[in-house]
Amino acid sequence: MNRTRRILEVILILILAIASCDGSGGDIPLRCDEYDSMGYMDVNEAFCTVTGFTVTHSQNVVIKNIPPGNMVKFMKFYESTLLYMPFHLFETFPYLKTLDLSNTNILELTRNAFSAASNLTYLNLAYNNLTSIQTSVFIGANVLMRLDLSYNEISSLSVNAFCGLHTISQIYLTGNLLKELHNDIFKDNEYLEKVSFEGNLLTSIQPEVFRNMRRIKEVNLSNNHLIFIHPDTFADAASLENLVLSYNELKNFQLTEKNIVHQLHLDNNYLTNLTINATRFVRASHNQISELFLHQSLHIETLDLSANKLSSISISQISHICSTWMYRIIQLDRLISAPFLNLRD
Ligand SMILES: *[C@@H]1O[C@H](CO)[C@@H](O)[C@H](O)[C@H]1NC(C)=O
Ligand SMILES: *[C@@H]1O[C@H](CO)[C@@H](O)[C@H](O)[C@H]1NC(C)=O
Ligand SMILES: *[C@@H]1O[C@H](CO)[C@@H](O)[C@H](O)[C@H]1NC(C)=O
Ligand SMILES: *[C@@H]1O[C@H](CO)[C@@H](O)[C@H](O)[C@H]1NC(C)=O
Ligand SMILES: *[C@@H]1O[C@H](CO)[C@@H](O)[C@H](O)[C@H]1NC(C)=O
């Protein structure tokens, strides 16, 4: 009898000990650094910055002392660890337009986190610890324009990751671990203008990814392992301005009946020929280019072809170009014996 009682006592003491070890648990209130002074501010400039706010796994962020429905438009965390998006953030801050949660050790985005984010236009989640983006997590952020998910560890993007973002114009996924993209990843995002997948592990991109994107202007795919870009990839784009494909493994690149208006970067690939159609700034150094095909070449302002194999280039391919002008624009490094020089005659 006594023995059983002793055992029960020991168990009770253990439970109490565990409970008190967990002393850092429970609720942790969110405080704005400068909330008090906000009464003096222009309502349109009301902001909340939070500095040195560290949440542990056993704590829940609670928002007390801040009136729900306040007019704060801008919120940013400095030197803080959140682990998760605070629950009900947008119920307290319904007018938030800019939310900067960069560098706050966020591990996961949960569903409904943005269900009340009806005025959010810019969300910065760069430099966090996200490994995946689940189905429809941004639902509710109906007017989001710019989403930065750069420099996380994202290796998995749900096909519905960007669902509901009907007005978004910029999505940045630079510096993640993506190996592939679902064909329908941007099916809801027909207003996309800029997208970056720079510094991922992509080996291919299906042309369907950019289907229906009439407004796409800037695409950064540099620093991946792309071996092929389908010629119809940007077929629906009305005016593609910048395409960055540097540091990939492309052997061939040409778009069907399309021109890139402003910049085309193809340096550090394995191209053996280069077709340029009315692009102003072209970077194609560090390839194995021996043939050049120029269309509407009067548009060219800069063409960097250094570190290629252009000594065998055929003059007829470029003979229609004004020679002195051509001489000016081509970087002649390693091209000393190239026929471009003859064009001056
Ligand atoms: C967001 O802004 C619009 C005006 O752009 C306003 O009508 C709407 O009520 C706002 N939403 C919330 C939750 O405050
Ligand atoms: C998030 O990633 C950084 C950099 O890799 C690391 O130092 C940090 O410990 C990670 N945080 C968590 C909560 O895992
Ligand atoms: C695109 O890639 C280049 C490197 O080739 C980089 O310098 C530039 O900042 C990138 N742009 C964006 C928007 O990520
Ligand atoms: C060059 O671009 C124009 C669109 O500006 C297109 O109509 C034409 O077919 C392109 N030429 C080539 C050879 O791709
Ligand atoms: C350019 O090079 C690629 C790869 O070697 C080749 O498939 C393609 O036909 C070439 N293009 C032209 C116009 O010669």
Side-chain angles (χ1 to χ4, degrees), residues 83 105 107 129 153:
L83 303 178
N105 287 260
L107 299 163
N129 301 60
E153 295 145 40

Side-chain angles (χ1 to χ4, degrees), residues 255 257-259 277 295-296:
L255 298 179
E257 293 178 12
K258 174 117 312 213
N259 70 328
N277 184 4
H295 304 275
Q296 306 186 60

Side-chain angles (χ1 to χ4, degrees), residues 251-252 254 272-273 275 291 293:
K251 294 201 166 97
N252 191 4
Q254 189 173 0
T272 54
N273 60 48
T275 303
E291 282 183 296
F293 303 97

Side-chain angles (χ1 to χ4, degrees), residues 232-295:
D232 295 335
T233 301
F234 301 102
D236 292 329
S239 168
L240 186 59
E241 289 176 2
N242 299 320
L243 179 58
V244 182
L245 289 164
S246 312
Y247 292 96
N248 277 286
E249 293 159 27
L250 297 172
K251 294 201 166 97
N252 191 4
F253 174 78
Q254 189 173 0
L255 298 179
T256 319
E257 293 178 12
K258 174 117 312 213
N259 70 328
I260 295 153
V261 186
H262 191 70
Q263 277 187 82
L264 173 61
H265 290 188
L266 284 164
D267 54 288
N268 295 280
N269 278 284
Y270 304 131
L271 301 174
T272 54
N273 60 48
L274 175 64
T275 303
I276 301 169
N277 184 4
T279 307
R280 285 168 61 198
F281 302 95
V282 180
R283 210 192 268 179
S285 61
H286 299 90
N287 280 280
Q288 285 143 38
I289 296 168
S290 60
E291 282 183 296
L292 192 56
F293 303 97
L294 297 172
H295 304 275

Side-chain angles (χ1 to χ4, degrees), residues 55 57 81-83 103-107 127-130 151 153:
V55 183
H57 280 280
T81 295
L82 289 174
L83 303 178
N103 210 355
T104 55
N105 287 260
I106 290 180
L107 299 163
Y127 297 97
N128 276 293
N129 301 60
L130 298 168
Y151 306 106
E153 295 145 40

